[in-house]
Amino acid sequence: MPHLPWPSVGDRLCVEGQFCTIRFVGEIPQWKSEKAYGLEWDNITRGKHSGVVGGVRYFETKFRTSGSIVKESKVIEAIHRRCTFIDSLSNVYLSKAGKHRDVYFGSKRVEMTGLDVLDLRNGDVSSLKCINLSYRNIAAMGDLSKLRLLAPTLKSLKQLNLSHNLLTDISQVISLIGGIKSLRSLDISGNKFTEFKIGEGDRVWSVTELSANCCELSAENIEKLCYVFPALQTLQLDGNGRSASIVLSQNLLPDLSELSLANNYLEEFPQHCEKSAVTSLNLSYNPISRISLKRATKIRTLAMSNCELNTWSSIDAICITFPELTNLKINDNPINTKGSSDDAYLQTIGRIRKLLYLDGTFIAEKEKQDAEIYLMTLVSKSQAPINELGEQWRYLTNKHGKISRKPSSNIMGSGLATLNLSIYFEGRKIREIEVLPCYSVRYLKSIISKLVTLSIFDFELSRISSDGVEHEFNFEFSPISTFSVKNNDVISVLRTGR
């Protein structure tokens, strides 16, 4: 196996499973007999300082606790594990590569350079459709001339995964994939590219899917990346910081349909997405609390899990901003934790008229109608806010009829029926409550749990029919209408003792 040059400042290592960048190589007074390495860890909790030891600054770090200085003996194993793409490909996919017979002229053995590449060219690489070399300590792609010989042999390759390696020079990656005409998907996530020298001819038109998560890419380098891959239809730029939104703000990729910008510290919704061709957008794990955007009529799928959406007006804004939205993920937002999960689920469905999937769950038409009626009932009782001059409310009243605010009635507007239920606990009636047939058993339990001051896991419910027969609720996430619950029925609460 050919040896890589000894690492220097700026190179990457993986030490005991943790990635880091070398920031200093030299001597320090504390270790006069051994070379010292200053490391900046990707995991900032692994470090101890910012590059200052004994009052002397040896290097700078981005975070004050992400730096360490270690002896060379602590990183020597990681240094020797570094390899090239060609080495890794041979070891993983062609275990017999390099085991060619020695060649002799008479009694003299002849050194045959380049036989490793010949093995690769003559091996069964032509049939490989997917190559996964993630977490393989690849620090360089290998000799350029060898890469040019190798690329045409990978004629069936469609997916290449180079994620979480030690690569720092993007031009080396391009030198390989530029010659693989069949390649469609490339993953370079987790590599920290500091060398971004791109020539005018460095364009790869075959790749349509690119994952470049957690690469610490600047806006300038993202722009260069888009130049290299102009035909991208799917792009992942999670964990790269606010600069990642440049893809939308400058419309760098006219054919882009799926974009992921999760965990990028975005506090506002990226501007100009209404001008792009993007139909699927992932903004999860960003501190976004409101939607301030013109209409984006092409968005069909939106992921905003673990954001800061905390008002129903922000959900209403999603409906207005994305009128063609059919798939939404908003789990683990503050708005989901204020009340019961069922309430948030039903209200969200009722507020977004074309929704087919919510947090991965398909919404049947009957469930959608029940959710809309549920929302209208809450509004009629002033228990849920909505803009009654807005589009969604007009849609709801046109579909289900206008509501009449009569708290004593069991009929809301045009056929919006509610049920009065008598709740019995430990042999006595404690309350009458008003519910909707679309309520799930779990949601009904969450209401009753407040009345009996028990966790929903500490009691069971049953329905007592008019003939005195007790009927159990077998499926907690099914609507109570599934169990033939009728107006004025009795619901019995049985403590389980758990």
Side-chain angles (χ1 to χ4, degrees):
M1 180 182 295
H3 292 289
L4 288 167
W6 202 257
S8 57
V9 172
D11 286 335
R12 302 270 292 164
L13 293 176
C14 183
V15 181
E16 298 177 349
Q18 297 279 337
F19 289 96
C20 59
T21 302
I22 299 174
R23 298 301 185 196
F24 167 81
V25 180
E27 295 181 354
I28 63 173
Q30 292 87 338
W31 302 327
K32 294 181 179 180
S33 61
E34 189 170 356
K35 188 182 295 184
Y37 281 74
L39 307 176
E40 181 175 10
W41 301 96
D42 291 5
N43 177 5
I44 62 174
T45 63
R46 175 71 185 264
K48 298 180 178 179
H49 50 72
S50 62
V52 177
V53 175
V56 179
R57 175 167 294 283
Y58 292 95
F59 58 96
E60 299 276 354
T61 63
K62 187 176 181 180
F63 300 96
R64 61 185 181 87
T65 60
S66 59
S68 295
I69 291 184
V70 300
K71 294 179 179 179
E72 186 175 57
S73 57
K74 293 289 186 181
V75 296
I76 196 70
E77 182 180 348
I79 290 173
H80 286 302
R81 280 200 308 267
R82 296 161 71 245
C83 65
T84 69
F85 168 79
I86 293 176
D87 300 334
S88 186
L89 181 64
S90 299
N91 292 334
V92 176
Y93 288 92
L94 297 166
S95 58
K96 293 182 180 180
K99 294 183 179 180
H100 42 73
R101 295 180 179 178
D102 292 335
V103 177
Y104 290 87
F105 284 107
S107 60
K108 185 178 181 181
R109 187 176 68 85
V110 179
E111 184 73 24
M112 301 294 288
T113 59
L115 284 181
D116 53 344
V117 177
L118 289 175
D119 281 331
L120 286 170
R121 293 183 64 189
N122 296 325
D124 194 23
V125 296
S126 62
S127 63
L128 288 175
K129 294 183 179 180
C130 175
I131 291 178
N132 184 353
L133 295 177
S134 181
Y135 290 96
R136 293 287 174 178
N137 287 290
I138 299 173
M141 297 301 288
D143 182 80
L144 181 59
S145 62
K146 294 182 180 181
L147 289 174
R148 288 172 177 168
L149 287 173
L150 173 62
T153 67
L154 300 171
K155 57 186 178 182
S156 299
L157 187 63
K158 295 187 179 300
Q159 297 180 323
L160 176 59
N161 186 350
L162 297 175
S163 65
H164 303 287
N165 280 296
L166 311 174
L167 297 168
T168 58
D169 189 347
I170 192 67
S171 65
Q172 292 187 8
V173 178
I174 297 171
S175 65
L176 170 70
I177 64 175
I180 307 175
K181 304 305 180 184
S182 59
L183 190 64
R184 297 292 178 268
S185 176
L186 175 66
D187 192 345
I188 54 174
S189 301
N191 293 282
K192 311 298 183 185
F193 294 103
T194 55
E195 295 292 329
F196 242 92
K197 297 177 181 179
I198 303 298
E200 290 186 9
D202 290 332
R203 312 207 78 180
V204 181
W205 291 91
S206 64
V207 173
T208 58
E209 299 179 7
L210 176 65
S211 295
N213 302 322
C214 302
C215 291
E216 297 183 0
L217 298 171
S218 65
E220 180 184 1
N221 287 342
I222 290 174
E223 194 170 355
K224 290 180 180 179
L225 206 61
C226 293
Y227 174 83
V228 173
F229 302 102
L232 287 179
Q233 298 173 14
T234 301
L235 176 60
Q236 294 185 1
L237 290 174
D238 302 349
N240 280 289
R242 296 185 181 92
S243 59
S245 61
I246 190 175
V247 176
L248 288 173
S249 63
Q250 296 193 17
N251 196 21
L252 299 175
L253 297 165
D255 296 328
L256 192 66
S257 60
E258 297 182 30
L259 176 62
S260 183
L261 299 176
N263 197 25
N264 279 322
Y265 305 104
L266 301 176
E267 297 179 356
E268 296 183 352
F269 210 93
Q271 299 299 305
H272 307 296
C273 76
E274 72 278 4
K275 298 179 181 179
S276 74
V278 171
T279 60
S280 177
L281 182 61
N282 182 8
L283 295 172
S284 300
Y285 293 93
N286 285 295
I288 300 173
S289 60
R290 61 190 181 91
I291 312 296
S292 55
L293 192 69
K294 296 179 180 178
R295 289 200 171 207
T297 57
K298 293 181 180 179
I299 297 290
R300 301 290 191 276
T301 298
L302 178 65
M304 295 189 69
S305 302
N306 296 90
C307 292
E308 296 296 332
L309 301 175
N310 56 15
T311 64
W312 286 115
S313 61
S314 62
I315 306 302
D316 294 336
I318 289 177
C319 179
I320 295 170
T321 305
F322 309 104
E324 302 301 321
L325 189 68
T326 59
N327 190 341
L328 175 65
K329 292 184 178 181
I330 56 166
N331 53 291
D332 297 315
N333 275 273
I335 192 66
N336 305 117
T337 59
K338 289 184 176 181
S340 75
S341 58
D342 279 347
D343 175 69
Y345 179 77
L346 292 170
Q347 282 210 53
T348 302
I349 294 173
R351 291 172 185 272
I352 303 177
R353 53 184 169 273
K354 291 191 177 182
L355 209 56
L356 296 177
Y357 295 88
L358 178 59
D359 294 328
T361 300
F362 175 73
I363 305 166
E365 181 57 32
K366 178 63 168 64
E367 184 179 17
K368 186 170 184 61
Q369 290 184 17
D370 286 347
E372 291 170 349
I373 292 172
Y374 171 73
L375 173 62
M376 295 181 74
T377 303
L378 292 181
V379 174
S380 74
K381 299 178 180 181
S382 300
Q383 294 177 359
I386 197 170
N387 179 7
E388 295 187 32
L389 299 177
E391 292 180 19
Q392 181 63 7
W393 188 249
R394 288 199 300 271
Y395 163 79
L396 292 174
T397 54
N398 287 337
K399 181 177 180 179
H400 299 287
K402 294 184 178 180
I403 64 170
S404 56
R405 290 176 167 83
K406 298 179 181 179
S408 61
S409 173
N410 289 103
I411 303 294
M412 296 294 175
S414 177
L416 306 186
T418 61
L419 303 173
N420 275 328
L421 301 177
S422 297
I423 309 303
Y424 278 73
F425 179 52
E426 296 182 339
R428 64 184 182 87
K429 181 178 178 178
I430 60 171
R431 182 76 65 87
E432 286 189 2
I433 62 174
E434 191 177 20
V435 301
L436 281 170
C438 63
Y439 284 5
S440 70
V441 176
R442 173 61 68 88
Y443 185 43
L444 179 60
K445 287 184 72 174
S446 70
I447 296 173
I448 293 174
S449 71
K450 299 174 183 176
L451 303 178
V452 298
T453 62
L454 290 174
S455 165
I456 62 172
F457 303 107
D458 291 336
F459 65 89
E460 300 293 343
L461 300 179
S462 61
R463 178 179 69 87
I464 310 298
S465 59
S466 57
D467 56 3
V469 178
E470 187 173 356
H471 304 271
E472 294 183 356
F473 293 102
N474 298 321
F475 304 103
E476 288 206 349
F477 293 97
S478 297
I480 60 175
S481 59
T482 305
F483 304 95
S484 302
V485 177
K486 299 180 178 60
N487 194 39
N488 298 320
D489 270 356
V490 172
I491 302 298
S492 176
V493 181
L494 176 64
R495 190 196 300 261
T496 61
R498 285 181 287 178

